[in-house]
Amino acid sequence: MAEPCTVRDLAARIGQTVTIRGWLTHYRSSGRIRFLVLRDGTGVVQTVVKAEAAELAGVESWEQIGQESSLIVTGQVHRDARAPVGVEVEVRAVQVLAATHEYPITPKEHGVDFLMDHRHLWIRSPRQAAILRLRSIIVQAIRGFLDSHGFVVADPPIITPTPAEGSTTLFAIDYFGEPAYLSQSGQLYMEALALALGRVYSFGPTFRAEKSKTRRHLTEFWMIEPEMAFCEFEENLVWQEQLVEHIAQQVLLRALGELNALQRPLAPLENIRTPFPRITYDEALVRLAQLGMPIAWGEDLGAPHETALANQFDCPVFVTHFPTHLKAFYMQPEPTRPEVVRAADLLAPEGYGEIIGGSQRIHDLSLLESRMAEHGLDASSYAWYLDLRRYGTVPHSGFGLGLERLVAWFGGLDHVRETTPFARTLNRVWP
Amino acid sequence: MAEPCTVRDLAARIGQTVTIRGWLTHYRSSGRIRFLVLRDGTGVVQTVVKAEAAELAGVESWEQIGQESSLIVTGQVHRDARAPVGVEVEVRAVQVLAATHEYPITPKEHGVDFLMDHRHLWIRSPRQAAILRLRSIIVQAIRGFLDSHGFVVADPPIITPTPAEGSTTLFAIDYFGEPAYLSQSGQLYMEALALALGRVYSFGPTFRAEKSKTRRHLTEFWMIEPEMAFCEFEENLVWQEQLVEHIAQQVLLRALGELNALQRPLAPLENIRTPFPRITYDEALVRLAQLGMPIAWGEDLGAPHETALANQFDCPVFVTHFPTHLKAFYMQPEPTRPEVVRAADLLAPEGYGEIIGGSQRIHDLSLLESRMAEHGLDASSYAWYLDLRRYGTVPHSGFGLGLERLVAWFGGLDHVRETTPFARTLNRVWP
């Protein structure tokens, strides 16, 4: 048997005889010619059986190889400009490892509930596999950018004693008889780590027990939370836009096959160039009024407002300086105008909404204590967090990037449930 | 002010005037000369104030700058072969951002409970910061190896409906009124993903509600779980040893400063060269008997046995082919000798015990069903997992690498609680 070759690597093996190990996605015959379309996890390739002489092992006839049968195919690689991977394979031998019959997911249309019930199989479909590969490429791009800029990856705890922002949306667990909660943000811990290590980031799951059934919400989702010591508001925005630009460039470089499989128009991704536009909340209100969607100063932007604002730009846009009372207790008020905070949301174009939320954090102990009192927070629960301001406090900033929404945006997807292998939603914890 | 420079980058700036932003770890004076030792998260450097003429801002006298005061120091970089970072900085100006007094963690000895209660500050100490940087370098090495070998990173769910290996050590959560559990292994999901994507790996937290108080146990720890389709037992071992060798090489290349800070002897790490020795469980029993530690065939190896075996090698060693009844239901029995399974534990030298556990998985549906029945497992809870054998099954293998134990081993640490920013143990969920 020739050495195994992945579908992705076939284009470099033209003229050679290779072995491909994978699964049948489609079978058809036309006269004496048979076509077996194979997937192997790295891509999809058409193979052609031109003669009865091709060896077949494991089953008695070609017709017994059903969709999702596992196969080892040996054949010669030919250039084929029409094929998605640029080649076709002329089959010499097929060994059937396991003939599959009555595979539940057929090329016909299935309902979403059926597909999610069969998610362990649905992920094999070329579209779903392309999304998961796109996610992996995006993960690598994020880590690559942060690693190469001196950020230390540091994992905040998942099991936490104190809710960071209220407890109504927390999953509670019994921790050997003590109450504890699943983290919905590692930020407070990342602040401690930034003061120890300079620049840090987390990359892990977070949890929100929201009873939301929207196309943007999962109860379990992955967040990237960078935090930088000696970093103020403006520098924080620059880190964010450079990170997003880097991801876009990497996706366009490494995930073109996946984007094509998803029929994702490339122009919106090619437009992602720094610097991103910045508008203040106040300016946003003026724009919304001009669009016939007025809101009063002090009210929060809803999803329709975010979409309307983002549609005015062909690039992600920062909305900055939100009213202080709308935002979390730890955000730094603007010194000359304390009714707004040094916080920004990054809104993606094409209706994908908030991708990043970030802010400069309050570094002054007494200001932080008074903000916590205004929020009715119990200082004893935050004793360790206050220590960060008591001992060697410095200006610091950070942000949180939601991975699934980012994947949905880059992939041009309708729903975040397809951006993660096994989505957890209000009504689903299976498979 | 000169452009900020990290301590790590000072060696490239000899002769230049730089600005360092960091925190005071030690202060002493000798006659008219003062020494300020600074940390900035990337390293520790000694700065020297040779004249009263150096500017001081933010406080009135040098004596007011206590340990962990936050400072911005400007000065000239001089070569100093005796210094850990190879340079010393002659101070021209010091700006004190926040003068700190009575920092709780002093150079004197503190008890472990005190230090863990102050973990948010303890992580600033040079030793703890070195461990966390070492962890970050190891994380990058693992991801780098797997990413460069075509593995797709894929995140299995944390919130799971079905326990993979019994439920006594699971943390239960209330999922909108339904029972659910925190994952203690993503393996079953990784098997589904390997059949969709070929080679995959997870990199995330896992949870075990074990009432163990040992230096090797955390309740929340990070696991790397690669899973490979079309991969049998021997190839699985090769992936494991190549990964561990790569990590060792990267650590020796990139973390020498951290290893020195931890006073870690390098020879044991330099000895990590593939191929690693392999002994069967049967051979292990012979060796243990010769060492005066006999155990009967069918009994499991305990920590003292693992240490005694590993001490016979100066490199990690695989113990293979354990008795089937000792291992999980999904492990492939050896066809010619079904009382043992195609599983291996990788034991680290120096008493660090099991670092990796891996196996070839059963791919035959009826064999898997009969093994599950023997284990008393409810097939309906595993319906989706059985589907993986019903539709397109192939030989596949994988392994689980425990990050914290690996960091403890590479760092030469006594206890895993120092290998993670905020350890979770039987009695600790704070800070």
Side-chain angles (χ1 to χ4, degrees):
Chain A
M1 195 194 317
E3 200 188 326
C5 180
T6 61
V7 170
R8 181 182 295 269
D9 291 338
L10 284 175
R13 307 287 289 274
I14 286 165
Q16 298 177 30
T17 296
V18 300
T19 291
I20 306 164
R21 307 181 299 190
W23 295 265
L24 186 73
T25 63
H26 295 96
Y27 172 84
R28 66 190 168 89
S29 64
S30 170
R32 289 187 57 212
I33 299 182
R34 302 167 201 284
F35 299 93
L36 308 179
V37 181
L38 289 186
R39 67 170 188 88
D40 78 339
T42 72
V44 175
V45 67
Q46 177 165 281
T47 70
V48 188
V49 186
K50 287 192 177 164
E52 294 291 345
E55 286 174 46
L56 178 64
V59 292
E60 297 193 353
S61 81
W62 296 97
E63 284 66 29
Q64 289 178 286
I65 314 174
Q67 187 188 346
E68 280 303 312
S69 294
S70 46
L71 311 174
I72 299 179
V73 172
T74 302
Q76 193 173 19
V77 185
H78 298 298
R79 194 184 307 278
D80 182 346
R82 296 160 304 174
V85 289
V87 302
E88 196 174 70
V89 175
E90 187 177 341
V91 174
R92 301 212 176 138
V94 172
Q95 182 193 345
V96 179
L97 294 188
T100 295
H101 309 288
E102 297 178 16
Y103 184 67
I105 302 177
T106 57
K108 72 167 186 179
E109 286 278 315
H110 296 281
V112 166
D113 280 342
F114 178 87
L115 291 170
M116 289 301 284
D117 283 342
H118 292 82
R119 183 66 178 165
H120 54 293
L121 302 176
W122 190 26
I123 53 178
R124 300 182 183 187
S125 77
R127 178 179 166 85
Q128 296 303 314
I131 295 171
L132 295 181
R133 283 196 305 268
L134 173 65
R135 177 186 171 108
S136 180
I137 289 166
I138 289 174
V139 168
Q140 291 172 19
I142 295 168
R143 300 184 316 202
F145 178 87
L146 295 169
D147 292 346
S148 68
H149 286 86
F151 285 75
V152 176
V153 61
D155 306 306
I158 307 295
I159 301 175
T160 54
T162 313
E165 303 177 42
S167 65
T168 55
T169 58
L170 290 172
F171 287 111
I173 68 166
D174 173 0
Y175 195 79
F176 303 114
E178 296 285 317
Y181 303 91
L182 297 186
S183 175
Q184 59 184 6
S185 163
Q187 182 203 309
L188 306 193
Y189 294 99
M190 299 317 289
E191 292 184 53
L193 286 158
L195 299 193
L197 298 166
R199 289 179 194 156
V200 294
Y201 74 103
S202 68
F203 202 125
T206 52
F207 303 87
R208 220 161 277 197
E210 273 182 301
K211 294 197 171 173
S212 301
K213 283 182 71 172
T214 82
R215 62 190 182 85
R216 288 188 194 179
H217 284 88
L218 300 172
T219 57
E220 177 182 320
F221 54 100
W222 283 60
M223 287 262 282
I224 299 90
E225 296 188 271
E227 190 77 28
M228 296 80 78
F230 297 100
C231 175
E232 302 199 27
F233 180 65
E234 276 297 328
E235 184 185 341
N236 193 27
L237 299 188
V238 173
W239 282 116
Q240 292 170 49
E241 65 189 0
Q242 289 189 351
L243 171 60
V244 172
E245 182 184 59
H246 175 82
I247 301 166
Q249 289 172 351
Q250 286 289 303
V251 164
L252 288 167
L253 189 69
R254 297 189 52 213
L256 276 183
E258 285 73 21
L259 296 175
N260 286 339
L262 299 172
Q263 300 179 295
R264 175 44 159 138
L266 300 185
L269 305 183
E270 291 164 343
N271 286 337
I272 300 174
R273 292 286 172 190
T274 59
F276 296 165
R278 292 145 164 73
I279 60 172
T280 64
Y281 170 87
D282 291 358
E283 290 163 354
L285 260 49
V286 172
R287 286 171 179 265
L288 288 170
Q290 288 166 347
L291 291 166
M293 304 172 75
I295 61 172
W297 197 95
E299 286 179 29
D300 209 354
L301 305 181
H305 305 114
E306 290 180 351
T307 299
L309 286 170
N311 281 344
Q312 299 197 311
F313 303 89
D314 59 4
C315 187
V317 55
F318 287 110
V319 181
T320 71
H321 296 90
F322 285 86
T324 302
H325 70 269
L326 289 180
K327 292 291 187 179
F329 71 91
Y330 48 71
M331 293 189 182
Q332 175 72 48
E334 190 61 48
T336 57
R337 197 185 162 209
E339 70 273 21
V340 299
V341 279
R342 291 186 162 182
D345 288 351
L346 182 66
L347 306 183
E350 303 173 87
Y352 284 97
E354 181 194 333
I355 296 293
I356 294 181
S359 69
Q360 183 173 338
R361 324 306 189 183
I362 295 173
H363 62 277
D364 181 77
L365 177 61
S366 59
L367 177 58
L368 184 60
E369 285 175 329
S370 68
R371 291 287 293 142
M372 285 174 59
E374 287 167 37
H375 278 255
L377 296 170
D378 173 20
S380 70
S381 297
Y382 292 87
W384 69 265
Y385 184 65
L386 292 168
D387 274 356
L388 306 181
R389 279 69 180 176
R390 196 169 276 120
Y391 306 113
T393 189
V394 302
H396 61 288
S397 300
F399 59 94
L401 166 65
L403 179 61
E404 283 77 11
R405 288 189 186 178
L406 189 76
V407 173
W409 167 32
F410 276 93
L413 309 178
D414 287 339
H415 200 296
V416 290
R417 71 178 156 234
E418 296 184 22
T419 62
T420 189
F422 294 91
R424 296 298 180 241
T425 56
L426 180 57
N427 297 316
R428 178 168 294 281
V429 68
W430 170 276
Chain B
M1 196 195 321
E3 200 188 324
C5 180
T6 62
V7 170
R8 181 183 294 268
D9 291 339
L10 284 175
R13 306 286 289 273
I14 286 166
Q16 298 177 30
T17 296
V18 299
T19 291
I20 307 164
R21 307 182 297 190
W23 296 266
L24 186 73
T25 64
H26 295 96
Y27 172 84
R28 67 188 167 89
S29 65
S30 169
R32 290 186 57 209
I33 300 182
R34 301 166 201 284
F35 299 93
L36 308 179
V37 181
L38 288 187
R39 66 170 189 86
D40 78 338
T42 73
V44 175
V45 66
Q46 178 165 280
T47 71
V48 187
V49 186
K50 287 193 177 164
E52 295 293 344
E55 285 174 45
L56 178 64
V59 292
E60 296 193 352
S61 81
W62 296 96
E63 284 66 29
Q64 288 177 289
I65 315 174
Q67 186 187 347
E68 280 302 314
S69 294
S70 46
L71 311 174
I72 298 179
V73 172
T74 302
Q76 194 172 20
V77 185
H78 297 299
R79 194 185 307 278
D80 182 347
R82 297 161 305 176
V85 288
V87 302
E88 195 174 71
V89 175
E90 187 177 341
V91 174
R92 301 213 176 140
V94 172
Q95 181 193 347
V96 179
L97 294 187
T100 294
H101 308 288
E102 298 179 15
Y103 185 66
I105 302 176
T106 58
K108 73 167 187 180
E109 286 278 314
H110 296 281
V112 166
D113 279 344
F114 177 86
L115 291 170
M116 289 300 285
D117 283 341
H118 292 81
R119 183 66 178 165
H120 54 292
L121 302 176
W122 190 27
I123 53 178
R124 301 182 183 186
S125 78
R127 179 180 165 83
Q128 296 303 314
I131 294 171
L132 295 180
R133 284 197 303 269
L134 173 65
R135 178 186 171 108
S136 180
I137 289 166
I138 288 173
V139 168
Q140 291 172 19
I142 295 167
R143 300 184 315 203
F145 178 87
L146 295 169
D147 292 347
S148 68
H149 286 86
F151 285 76
V152 176
V153 62
D155 306 305
I158 307 295
I159 300 175
T160 55
T162 312
E165 304 177 41
S167 65
T168 55
T169 58
L170 290 173
F171 287 110
I173 68 167
D174 173 0
Y175 194 79
F176 303 113
E178 295 286 318
Y181 304 90
L182 297 186
S183 175
Q184 58 183 7
S185 163
Q187 181 202 309
L188 306 193
Y189 294 99
M190 299 316 289
E191 292 183 53
L193 286 158
L195 298 192
L197 298 166
R199 291 179 193 155
V200 294
Y201 75 103
S202 68
F203 202 126
T206 52
F207 303 86
R208 220 160 277 197
E210 273 183 300
K211 294 198 171 172
S212 300
K213 284 181 69 174
T214 82
R215 62 190 182 85
R216 288 190 193 176
H217 284 88
L218 299 172
T219 57
E220 177 182 320
F221 54 100
W222 283 60
M223 287 262 281
I224 298 92
E225 296 189 271
E227 190 78 26
M228 296 82 77
F230 297 100
C231 175
E232 302 200 25
F233 180 65
E234 276 298 327
E235 184 185 342
N236 194 26
L237 299 188
V238 173
W239 282 116
Q240 292 171 50
E241 64 188 2
Q242 288 189 352
L243 172 60
V244 171
E245 183 184 58
H246 175 81
I247 301 166
Q249 289 172 352
Q250 287 290 303
V251 164
L252 288 167
L253 190 69
R254 297 188 53 213
L256 277 183
E258 285 73 20
L259 297 175
N260 287 337
L262 300 172
Q263 300 180 295
R264 174 47 159 135
L266 300 185
L269 304 184
E270 290 164 344
N271 286 336
I272 300 173
R273 292 287 173 190
T274 57
F276 296 165
R278 292 145 164 73
I279 61 174
T280 64
Y281 170 87
D282 292 357
E283 290 163 355
L285 261 49
V286 173
R287 286 171 179 267
L288 288 170
Q290 288 166 347
L291 291 166
M293 303 172 75
I295 61 171
W297 197 94
E299 288 179 27
D300 209 353
L301 304 181
H305 306 114
E306 291 181 352
T307 299
L309 286 170
N311 282 344
Q312 299 196 312
F313 302 89
D314 58 5
C315 188
V317 55
F318 286 111
V319 181
T320 71
H321 296 90
F322 286 86
T324 303
H325 70 270
L326 290 179
K327 293 291 187 179
F329 71 91
Y330 48 71
M331 295 189 182
Q332 174 72 47
E334 190 61 47
T336 58
R337 197 184 160 208
E339 69 273 20
V340 298
V341 278
R342 291 186 163 182
D345 288 350
L346 182 64
L347 306 182
E350 304 173 84
Y352 284 97
E354 182 193 333
I355 296 293
I356 294 181
S359 68
Q360 183 173 338
R361 325 305 190 183
I362 294 172
H363 62 278
D364 181 77
L365 176 62
S366 59
L367 178 57
L368 184 61
E369 285 175 328
S370 68
R371 291 286 293 143
M372 285 175 59
E374 286 166 37
H375 278 254
L377 295 171
D378 173 21
S380 71
S381 297
Y382 293 87
W384 69 264
Y385 184 65
L386 292 168
D387 273 356
L388 307 181
R389 280 70 182 176
R390 196 169 276 120
Y391 306 112
T393 190
V394 302
H396 61 288
S397 300
F399 60 93
L401 167 64
L403 179 61
E404 285 76 11
R405 288 188 186 179
L406 188 77
V407 174
W409 167 33
F410 276 93
L413 309 179
D414 288 338
H415 200 296
V416 291
R417 71 178 157 235
E418 297 183 23
T419 61
T420 190
F422 294 91
R424 296 298 180 239
T425 57
L426 181 55
N427 297 314
R428 176 168 297 281
V429 68
W430 170 275

